[in-house]
Amino acid sequence: MPAPTRKPAPSSNWLDRRFPIRTLLHREYVTFPMPRNLNALWSFGAFLIVTIGFLIASGLFLAINYTPDIAQAFASVEAIDRQVPSGWFLRSLHMGGVTMLFACLYIHLGRGLWYGSYKAPRELLWLTGLGLMLMVMITAFAGYVLPWGQMSYWGATVIVNAMRAVPLFGRPVSELLLGGEGLGNIALHRLFVLHFAMAFAILGAIGVHVATLHVVKSNNPSGIDPATPRQTLPFHPYYTSRDAFALCLFLMVYAGLVFFLPDLLTLADNYVQANPLVTPRDIRPEWYFAPFYAILRAVPSRLSGLFLACGSLAVLFVLPALDRSPVRPATLRPLVRLSLPLAFLSFILLGIAGMHPPTETWLIVSRFAMAWWFIHFLVVMPLASEREITS
């Protein structure tokens, strides 16, 4: 008697054959080959993604209770802090997230500069990352105005006035953003929409940045791409476990900032409602905008200051063209190894100068630091490239 035939079991790959998301995730986030020699600085990309997740989640709850009206904005923020259940925690989580986001962003950028992650074939990865940084800055600026405190109002006024100094398109762009000549209800409403919309645009930009990374693969401290599979490790479990441990340390610092050092998250003047008739004695930005603010006021001309502040970021976009050396890490480039730490120090000094009143001493510090920042990228990098190519 022949054995009864069994009906074929339903295929477990039914969904995968029609929508191969499981295969894609397995290939890109489990078996994805990573260099063996990555150090702790490569964990900051994971920190950035987690922090943006916290910012968007907390921002959604804050937006429910926020009123984008100059007569009610400050009161609504106070109500979030004092009346909404756990509102103080959500606001501290949001403000602390911005601080942690920019700290990780600048370290992530510095790592790319030190290890030459902007060189071929990763130019597009570098450019998408810089574009993402600009989106974060725009979002942070729009969000900075929303509490409608004294420093928010006057800091935004300084930026808007500087923008209007740009010939041809400066005034039209500022009027389009603000809906008029100055900060008012229309401006606050548009900045609220911009802040909210840009947050989700950043998610899309992150997707493009990560997709670009998975095409060209990750750089590594040696600057030499792995040639064989034996020189790589799968992303999981090796780097997922390492990033998870590093993330625990990161969240401890984040929690300490939120729960124990909330006064570091904003300036004291921002706890006072905005008054267009009373100018603060010293207008200061948040620390993450301080380097660019220091450049803005380091020169007497408003237009020149704005041009140099924007130029300090623009040189990063053209860096792949300025630095044509085939050698990637700065540790293997004697001239860059000396110059780049001074550029990092210049950026830090600009940040410190931007948080202090514009006395003669701090203006001199700002000018020297700004000069070296541009000298490094516009003079030292092309010179080092020529020497290394011909040697």
Side-chain angles (χ1 to χ4, degrees):
M1 182 177 180
T5 58
R6 295 182 179 180
K7 294 182 180 180
S11 174
S12 59
N13 294 324
W14 181 88
L15 178 63
D16 200 51
R17 293 199 306 270
R18 291 159 177 80
F19 186 63
I21 186 65
R22 185 183 65 84
T23 301
L24 176 66
L25 292 176
H26 188 270
R27 182 178 70 248
E28 300 296 336
Y29 296 100
V30 176
T31 61
F32 185 75
M34 299 287 289
R36 287 177 172 266
N37 59 337
L38 299 187
N39 57 39
L41 291 175
W42 265 260
S43 295
F44 280 84
F47 298 166
L48 287 167
I49 293 176
V50 171
T51 305
I52 288 176
F54 278 121
L55 284 170
I56 292 178
S58 59
L60 287 173
F61 286 100
L62 292 174
I64 294 172
N65 298 281
Y66 176 75
T67 305
D69 182 274
I70 61 173
Q72 304 178 55
F74 185 81
S76 68
V77 173
E78 289 293 300
I80 290 172
D81 276 340
R82 303 175 187 276
Q83 298 176 17
V84 175
S86 300
W88 65 269
F89 169 69
L90 292 172
R91 186 161 180 248
S92 293
L93 189 69
H94 201 71
M95 293 191 300
V98 177
T99 292
M100 298 300 289
L101 178 68
F102 274 96
C104 293
L105 187 61
Y106 290 147
I107 294 174
H108 192 63
L109 177 66
R111 187 263 293 171
L113 290 171
W114 183 260
Y115 290 112
S117 297
Y118 50 86
K119 294 177 179 289
R122 298 181 178 86
E123 301 96 333
L124 188 58
L125 177 65
W126 175 256
L127 295 176
T128 57
L130 290 177
L132 185 56
M133 183 177 72
L134 288 182
M135 294 175 67
V136 169
M137 288 181 169
I138 294 171
T139 307
F141 169 74
Y144 179 62
V145 183
L146 298 184
W148 207 245
Q150 268 290 76
M151 200 57 68
S152 294
Y153 175 85
W154 287 101
T157 300
V158 170
I159 300 301
V160 170
N161 290 337
M163 186 187 305
R164 285 177 178 158
V166 179
L168 298 179
F169 62 87
R171 183 171 291 274
V173 169
S174 65
E175 291 180 356
L176 176 65
L177 178 63
L178 303 180
E181 286 294 323
L183 290 170
N185 268 327
I186 297 177
L188 185 62
H189 184 78
R190 290 184 180 181
L191 288 171
F192 174 66
V193 173
L194 177 65
H195 182 70
F196 200 84
M198 285 293 289
F200 293 96
I202 286 172
L203 287 179
I206 290 174
V208 173
H209 187 62
V210 173
T212 308
L213 170 66
H214 281 246
V215 171
V216 297
K217 305 296 189 297
S218 178
N219 190 24
N220 65 86
S222 71
I224 302 174
D225 294 329
T228 65
R230 294 179 61 86
Q231 296 175 333
T232 64
L233 292 172
F235 182 72
H236 178 78
Y238 295 98
Y239 286 105
T240 52
S241 58
R242 192 199 67 174
D243 286 350
F245 174 74
L247 187 60
C248 290
L249 301 178
F250 169 78
L251 292 177
M252 290 173 63
V253 177
Y254 191 171
L257 189 64
V258 170
F259 290 108
F260 300 107
L261 298 170
D263 291 339
L264 293 180
L265 304 181
T266 191
L267 300 171
D269 284 344
N270 236 24
Y271 290 106
V272 179
Q273 187 170 0
N275 186 348
L277 302 178
V278 179
T279 305
R281 184 178 61 180
D282 178 30
I283 299 176
R284 291 185 295 166
E286 296 294 336
W287 72 268
Y288 38 83
F289 288 141
F292 311 103
Y293 183 64
I295 295 175
L296 184 65
R297 69 183 187 185
V299 292
S301 170
R302 183 186 303 170
L303 179 59
S304 299
L306 182 62
F307 175 78
L308 290 172
C310 295
S312 65
L313 289 173
V315 294
L316 299 176
F317 281 89
V318 297
L319 183 57
L322 295 173
D323 184 7
R324 301 185 304 277
S325 171
V327 183
R328 290 177 185 162
T331 50
L332 302 178
R333 310 175 66 186
L335 189 57
V336 178
R337 189 171 64 237
L338 294 175
S339 177
L340 186 54
L342 293 177
F344 291 156
L345 179 61
S346 297
F347 188 79
I348 295 172
L349 288 176
L350 284 169
I352 297 173
M355 296 299 293
H356 284 80
T359 61
E360 187 65 26
T361 300
W362 286 115
L363 287 176
I364 292 174
V365 170
S366 299
R367 289 163 186 165
F368 275 103
M370 175 184 64
W372 185 258
W373 179 264
F374 284 105
I375 288 172
H376 169 76
F377 290 107
L378 299 179
V379 178
V380 175
M381 297 303 287
L383 179 61
S385 299
E386 292 297 329
R387 292 185 61 182
E388 291 164 5
I389 290 175
T390 57
S391 59

